[in-house]
Amino acid sequence: MFIAHLPAGYLLARGLQRATGQRNAGFLATGCVASVLPDTDLAWFYLVDNRQTPHHDYLFHAPFFWVAVCTIGWALGRLLGMARARAYAGFALAGLLLHMALDSFAADIRWLWPFTDTRFEFTRVPDQGYDWWVWNFVLHWTFAAELALCVCALGLLISDLRNSPSTK
Ligand SMILES: [Zn+2]
């Protein structure tokens, strides 16, 4: 997935806010940031690893890693008496797992690592021989789903901003 992680994160966090009644800008921001956080490993991929390992094989694309991080974060928050620790950890984990789910749409993710190296992907984007590999993804049907997510998120964001109490 290329362009829809953040829009999808917004849609999920917004939906979670409404479903749980936990309306808080911090929760929304946490879900949005978490939805793109795993791809920060691209810095390692390009700057350190010299593109030797697919970045989906890094720790940041291992769902159980994030389950552990969020669980530890929640536990620490609870120990420190942070009343909203569970909600923050929940919004973060939801955004992080959404990222992996969307990546699994057209790329392989090791959902059960470290227990098994089995890779899961919904569909494979074939190499069509374009000079720039990105065209393989942009011209694949899965990119239409990305565009749909972007349009939905943008429409709801505009609606939310128009209906925000601070803009009335
Ligand atoms: Zn990713």
Side-chain angles (χ1 to χ4, degrees):
M1 181 148 290
F2 283 101
I3 61 171
H5 281 302
L6 184 59
Y10 174 74
L11 291 173
L12 178 65
R14 182 184 184 273
L16 282 175
Q17 281 193 318
R18 289 167 188 261
T20 62
Q22 306 254 11
R23 296 191 182 212
N24 173 312
F27 296 153
L28 186 67
T30 298
C32 289
V33 169
S35 71
V36 295
L37 185 60
D39 278 347
T40 58
D41 65 9
L42 285 167
W44 184 270
F45 177 71
Y46 284 107
L47 301 176
V48 179
D49 195 29
N50 200 23
R51 306 191 314 177
Q52 296 300 303
T53 308
H55 84 106
H56 288 151
D57 285 357
Y58 293 154
L59 196 57
F60 271 26
H61 277 83
F64 278 109
F65 168 72
W66 292 115
V67 169
V69 167
C70 289
T71 301
I72 291 168
W74 164 74
L76 284 175
R78 188 171 172 166
L79 281 174
L80 297 172
M82 296 173 64
R84 295 178 171 174
R86 190 174 81 175
Y88 274 110
F91 274 80
L93 186 59
L96 291 159
L97 294 180
L98 173 67
H99 183 102
M100 257 60 80
L102 293 175
D103 273 352
S104 298
F105 210 59
D108 52 1
I109 295 293
R110 297 180 301 162
W111 274 92
L112 302 176
W113 184 88
F115 307 107
T116 172
D117 274 339
T118 303
R119 297 166 187 277
F120 297 90
E121 65 182 332
F122 179 72
T123 186
R124 181 168 291 267
V125 176
D127 184 353
Q128 300 289 334
Y130 297 107
D131 289 339
W132 190 37
W133 63 272
V134 172
W135 286 118
N136 294 318
F137 287 86
V138 171
L139 298 175
H140 191 260
W141 66 266
T142 54
F143 199 71
E146 293 203 49
L147 291 175
L149 283 170
C150 293
V151 168
C152 286
L154 184 61
L156 289 174
L157 177 62
I158 291 170
S159 171
D160 289 348
L161 292 174
R162 281 189 181 155
N163 295 322
S164 169
S166 63
T167 58
K168 289 188 175 178

